[in-house]
Amino acid sequence: MATTAVEAPLVGVVSEKTTDKRVVRRRLGPGPRVPGTLWIGPVLLLGLWCLASATGVLDPRTLSEPWVVVETAQRLIADGRLPEALATSAYRASLGLVIGVGVGLALALVSGLSRVGEAVIDGPVQVKRAIPSLALMPLLILWLGIGEPMKVITIALGVLIPIYIHTHNGLRGIDSRYAELAETVSLRRGAFVRHVVLPGATPDFLLGLRFAVLNALLSLVVVEQVNATSGIGHMITLASSYGQTEIIVVGLVVYALLGLVADGIVRFTERKALAWRRTLESH
């Protein structure tokens, strides 16, 4: 009887211990990286477009079928119209992007590292920020005509603002203790900018670059449809005059692909350049 009385509590303790469940640590981040994230959404949209066209839900007069667009693109490539227009548009966008990034970065460095520079530069940049680049086009046409300089400068003005805003914010957001440490070790200004300022502002600069690429493409679409004689936008304008919906869609798809590729390049560069950061994106 005594033995039974002693064993009963022990059995209860053992069974209670064996039924205890350990706390499972759950992952609070976004989870493992999915390959091809940038292209999954567009592919799904393409599939929906194909389905709607094949079932007759989407009227071809409203939006051409994907296979018709592909055939049209092949014809435009064969006669050389599409490669020539794409080369012209890519050149305009790239040149405007390079000029805008260079000028915006230089202005941000001067304004971000000097109170006097900020007093001189920041106000006019904020004024330009309040005035869309497209609103300046009539004035730019009067000054520069309808040639390439007007188009490139319009794109550059659209690029300049996000580069300046984000880079300036990154410069002013650097921890002041780094400047104090640099002064303690007698670091010269050039070395301070190279080893402290530029790495500290790089994340914000790359974020601004993503917006700059988007603005470059938006500006490109507009300038190529205003008194243009070449480029994807000119091709779309001509197709609109003749009611050629399939050519319009080809041009829009080309614009979309340019945007996706450019954004993918910037995001890849961002991941490589900022691999040292421990963020949710890196998990």
Side-chain angles (χ1 to χ4, degrees):
M1 295 292 293
T3 304
T4 305
V6 172
E7 289 178 352
L10 292 176
V11 172
V13 171
V14 173
S15 61
E16 184 178 353
K17 289 182 179 180
T18 55
T19 56
D20 284 345
K21 295 182 179 180
R22 294 184 177 181
V23 178
V24 179
R25 183 181 179 183
R26 295 184 177 180
R27 189 181 187 91
L28 298 179
R33 189 182 302 278
V34 178
T37 304
L38 187 65
W39 298 96
I40 291 177
V43 169
L44 291 177
L45 286 177
L46 177 60
L48 184 61
W49 180 17
C50 292
L51 180 63
S53 298
T55 55
V57 175
L58 189 60
D59 191 339
R61 293 173 296 180
T62 303
L63 186 64
S64 302
E65 299 93 335
W67 42 91
V68 174
V69 173
V70 172
E71 292 176 359
T72 303
Q74 291 175 343
R75 186 176 71 252
L76 292 174
I77 293 173
D79 62 21
R81 291 173 57 191
L82 185 57
E84 181 181 357
L86 178 58
T88 302
S89 297
Y91 173 76
R92 286 172 182 156
S94 301
L95 185 57
L97 184 65
V98 170
I99 294 174
V101 169
V103 175
L105 184 59
L107 293 177
L109 288 173
V110 174
S111 178
L113 298 177
S114 170
R115 295 292 184 184
V116 176
E118 183 179 30
V120 174
I121 294 173
D122 194 64
V125 172
Q126 297 302 328
V127 170
K128 168 59 189 72
R129 183 185 181 189
I131 302 176
S133 299
L134 305 183
L136 295 175
M137 282 189 62
L139 190 59
L140 292 175
I141 291 175
L142 289 176
W143 288 349
L144 304 172
I146 60 174
E148 290 299 312
M150 181 275 295
K151 297 177 178 60
V152 172
I153 290 178
T154 301
I155 296 172
L157 289 174
V159 168
L160 182 151
I161 298 301
I163 291 294
Y164 173 86
I165 295 297
H166 288 277
T167 306
H168 183 273
N169 180 71
L171 291 170
R172 288 302 171 89
I174 295 175
D175 197 328
S176 61
R177 289 176 294 182
Y178 292 125
E180 296 172 0
L181 179 61
E183 293 175 356
T184 302
V185 298
S186 300
L187 199 65
R188 295 188 177 183
R189 190 166 187 81
F192 172 70
V193 171
R194 186 169 59 255
H195 296 294
V196 178
V197 172
L198 294 182
T202 297
D204 291 87
F205 165 74
L206 291 174
L207 177 61
L209 186 59
R210 292 185 64 183
F211 285 100
V213 169
L214 175 61
N215 283 5
L217 291 175
L218 291 176
S219 301
L220 176 69
V221 172
V222 175
V223 299
E224 287 192 336
Q225 296 186 26
V226 177
N227 298 319
T229 58
S230 59
I232 299 296
H234 175 63
M235 185 180 71
I236 292 177
T237 302
L238 288 179
S240 177
S241 301
Y242 293 101
Q244 298 172 315
T245 309
E246 66 279 5
I247 296 182
I248 296 175
V249 177
V250 169
L252 295 177
V253 170
V254 171
Y255 278 136
L257 291 176
L258 285 175
L260 283 175
V261 171
D263 186 68
I265 293 174
V266 176
R267 293 172 69 173
F268 176 79
T269 304
E270 185 178 11
R271 285 199 302 268
K272 295 299 182 182
L274 305 178
W276 51 269
R277 295 198 307 173
R278 300 293 297 173
T279 62
L280 289 178
E281 173 65 20
S282 62
H283 280 66

